[in-house]
Amino acid sequence: MFRVVASRMIVPNVHLLTLEAPAVAREAKPGQFVILRACEEGERIPLSLSDWDAEMGTVTVIFLNIGFTTNQLAALEEGKTIPTVVGPLGNATRIEKYGTVLCLGGCYGIGSIFPIARALKAAGNRVFTLLEARSAYLFYWEERFEAISERVIHITRDGTRGYRGHIDRLPEVVKDLGVPIDRIIINGCTFLLKRGSDASRPLGISTWVSLNPIMIDGTGMCGVCRVTVGDATRFACVHGPDFDGHQVNWEELLHRRKAYMVEEEVPFRTSRCNDHGCKA
Ligand code: FES
């Protein structure tokens, strides 16, 4: 069993969970993910690692409380346990000295882009961070990004902080930075990944995204996380999760992600977990 060390909502609907998982923490690298189950009868869901502490033996994930299982995870109190933390899974983000890198994170992706930005900085890159949210009150961990970034830039849908609008304004942001960008890395929801990739395509900047399709085993066995990248079929869990955003078949991915939308919203009372007395 894996003990909950910290559990709190950091901004509305976005939750931070730190779990005791020493074997995972020892091996974790930026860009990898874990698969969790909130209870014995629960589904397995993949969540990107936002941080870890090998010495303390803990890993931290940040997620949007949006469906049945994330609701269970968000309800966990410190000291409770969950039955499954599998990982670290997936390939680590390729950290090299690229030159100048723009790290873009939105929603839960603000959390998972952080260790990537930190590692890029440590590898000698000049790091700019672009954070995207509906409104200013949804940003978090800004002091962490300030410490490792040349500049932290914001885009908000309602214009309460930084640029007003969506990530479509990326070309303008890049132009205003006034420095050549060698690579863009995006973490966040599939819409953000797609729109960010679309926006960077005309700029000709290599753009890498961390895909988040539905997964079951996370080890290449079930095929559920199948994505099309260029002409190839790839499994996001073992070939990714990072892929060239300009090569991903976004329409297919967005379609496949909707497969269990209804089930995600099934209320707790119909859950087998409750039937079995399983309390998250
Ligand atoms: Fe099963 Fe990737 S999650 S193959």
Side-chain angles (χ1 to χ4, degrees):
M1 297 297 265
F2 300 86
R3 195 171 64 87
V4 175
V5 176
S7 174
R8 61 179 180 279
M9 190 168 73
I10 46 175
V11 292
N13 244 17
V14 176
H15 206 89
L16 175 147
L17 192 63
T18 299
L19 296 152
E20 224 170 50
V24 183
R26 254 194 321 270
E27 302 296 329
K29 292 188 183 62
Q32 291 188 296
F33 64 94
V34 286
I35 282 187
L36 308 183
R37 270 189 318 156
C39 66
E40 286 295 346
E41 297 292 335
E43 64 170 343
R44 299 158 60 89
I45 63 160
L47 292 174
S48 299
L49 288 169
S50 288
D51 212 352
W52 54 90
D53 186 327
E55 237 168 73
M56 302 286 287
T58 58
V59 296
T60 296
V61 290
I62 289 181
F63 57 90
L64 185 66
N65 184 358
I66 196 172
F68 178 74
T69 300
T70 48
N71 211 328
Q72 283 185 310
L73 290 171
L76 289 166
E77 291 163 9
E78 288 169 24
K80 296 271 182 187
T81 58
I82 62 171
T84 306
V85 179
V86 180
L89 296 168
N91 299 296
T93 297
R94 228 159 108 183
I95 304 294
E96 288 176 16
K97 189 162 178 189
Y98 298 108
T100 305
V101 185
L102 181 63
C103 292
L104 162 53
C107 189
Y108 52 87
I110 294 177
S112 59
I113 198 81
F114 173 70
I116 296 169
R118 179 174 59 189
L120 286 165
K121 170 77 176 169
N125 292 282
R126 204 172 167 199
V127 174
F128 288 91
T129 299
L130 176 58
L131 304 179
E132 188 268 351
R134 260 185 301 115
S135 194
Y137 69 89
L138 294 168
F139 291 123
Y140 55 92
W141 279 12
E142 290 184 79
E143 65 300 333
R144 290 189 176 212
F145 286 105
E146 297 283 357
I148 54 158
S149 310
E150 198 105 346
R151 250 184 84 190
V152 180
I153 309 119
H154 301 83
I155 295 182
T156 48
R157 230 78 53 80
D158 62 3
T160 46
R161 185 126 182 233
Y163 291 80
R164 184 193 191 105
H166 209 292
I167 203 58
D168 309 357
R169 296 197 67 178
L170 182 65
E172 215 178 321
V173 173
V174 170
K175 184 166 172 266
D176 291 349
L177 282 175
V179 291
I181 302 293
D182 299 297
R183 198 177 186 86
I184 297 175
I185 301 177
I186 314 177
N187 276 211
C189 72
T190 307
F191 277 108
L192 181 76
L193 306 182
K194 177 190 184 303
R195 290 179 79 160
S197 300
D198 288 346
S200 75
R201 190 175 282 112
L203 305 174
I205 303 172
S206 175
T207 299
W208 288 76
V209 295
S210 174
L211 295 188
N212 43 23
I214 296 168
M215 292 188 186
I216 295 179
D217 65 303
T219 59
M221 301 294 283
C222 69
V224 168
C225 67
R226 177 170 61 80
V227 291
T228 304
V229 183
D231 291 333
T233 296
R234 292 278 178 251
F235 292 159
C237 65
V238 287
H239 299 127
D242 292 358
F243 293 99
D244 180 343
H246 298 156
Q247 299 287 321
V248 173
N249 182 331
W250 293 106
E251 279 63 39
E252 179 192 69
L253 176 58
L254 285 163
H255 182 72
R256 285 175 65 83
R257 274 195 58 91
K258 288 184 193 150
Y260 296 103
M261 254 169 106
V262 174
E263 285 80 357
E264 275 181 18
E265 286 167 17
V266 170
F268 274 64
R269 63 191 149 74
T270 62
S271 156
R272 289 185 68 212
C273 288
N274 283 355
D275 293 347
H276 289 74
C278 192
K279 299 211 176 5

